[in-house]
Amino acid sequence: MSEVTRILSAIEQGDPHAADQLLPLVYDELRKLAAQRLVNEKPGQTLQATALVHEAYLRLVDSELIQQWSSRGHFFAAAAEAMRRILIDRARHKRTLKAGGDRHRQELPDIAAPSAEPEIDLLALDEALQKLEKQDQRKAKLVKLRFFARLTIEQAAQVLGIATSTAQNDWAYAHYWLRLEIEESRLDLSS
């Protein structure tokens, strides 16, 4: 009787220390078995061979389940089956809606690096926007949509329910007005 078979018999008899003795003897073989199982998995599999070995081993030596192995080969067959079940359970879980099973991976296009925009004093911009809003709410809303939401003129016009040409005129006016207002506030601060 090999050492593994003897330890398997001790586990069957309920020896609490036998499971601790078994893992070092079978770990390398279980790791190879797990690696072979994972080779056939789809790309994107996040389970590592080590984690698969540990999860399968815990299932195999679960003290609440009475398991009998007649030999070393029987144990490894049971280990292979446990690994198969773990992989199937994970695949089923990934298909559930809760785990995003209805979603498909999409590659993102390369995004150009943001252009070097001059730093804007947000407090000065906010003060100027508040003044503009008192004068013309639509132009202030347009600025917020263009500056903070990064909408195009066309998109902002659609949101505001105005013609694109009106939005272009409003933008030109508001942009110039805000620039003057911010410059004026900086001059007031420096004097």
Side-chain angles (χ1 to χ4, degrees):
M1 181 181 285
S2 74
E3 183 67 13
V4 172
T5 307
R6 186 191 64 72
I7 294 172
L8 291 172
S9 294
I11 290 173
E12 289 174 20
Q13 303 299 320
D15 181 357
H17 303 292
D20 295 335
Q21 297 170 358
L22 179 63
L23 186 58
L25 295 175
V26 296
Y27 184 80
D28 288 336
E29 290 178 66
L30 287 175
R31 182 99 166 66
K32 288 176 189 173
L33 185 63
Q36 290 170 350
R37 289 281 177 188
L38 291 173
V39 166
N40 299 324
E41 290 299 305
K42 288 182 180 180
Q45 169 63 260
T46 57
L47 186 64
Q48 299 293 319
T50 303
L52 182 56
V53 167
H54 288 264
E55 193 169 336
Y57 186 77
L58 289 174
R59 286 187 183 189
L60 289 170
V61 297
D62 187 354
S63 60
E64 294 178 13
L65 299 173
I66 299 173
Q67 301 180 32
Q68 295 181 350
W69 299 291
S70 57
S71 67
R72 175 189 182 96
H74 187 212
F75 174 77
F76 282 103
E81 180 63 18
M83 289 178 193
R84 184 186 73 80
R85 288 182 182 173
I86 291 166
L87 292 172
I88 288 171
D89 288 347
R90 286 181 60 92
R92 282 186 183 139
H93 174 73
K94 283 183 179 182
R95 285 191 181 156
T96 63
L97 288 178
K98 188 174 183 179
D102 63 336
R103 304 248 163 59
H104 301 286
R105 183 178 293 263
Q106 295 287 326
E107 294 297 322
L108 294 176
D110 290 335
I111 299 172
S115 61
E117 296 179 10
E119 281 193 34
I120 296 174
D121 183 354
L122 289 177
L123 294 177
L125 176 61
D126 184 55
E127 287 178 26
L129 259 175
Q130 287 177 16
K131 288 181 183 178
L132 178 61
E133 198 165 26
K134 289 177 184 172
Q135 281 186 352
D136 192 329
Q137 287 185 343
R138 185 181 73 204
K139 287 181 177 84
K141 285 181 184 176
L142 178 67
V143 170
K144 290 175 186 176
L145 291 171
R146 293 275 293 139
F147 187 80
F148 295 106
R150 298 284 189 200
L151 296 183
T152 64
I153 288 284
E154 293 80 14
Q155 292 167 331
Q158 187 177 12
V159 169
L160 293 173
I162 59 176
T164 302
S165 59
T166 304
Q168 288 170 335
N169 291 337
D170 285 356
W171 175 249
Y173 176 86
H175 189 260
Y176 184 74
W177 188 91
L178 288 171
R179 178 175 281 162
L180 288 176
E181 189 65 34
I182 291 172
E183 289 295 323
E184 194 175 295
S185 69
R186 283 188 187 155
L187 291 174
D188 289 344
L189 292 175
S190 63
S191 350

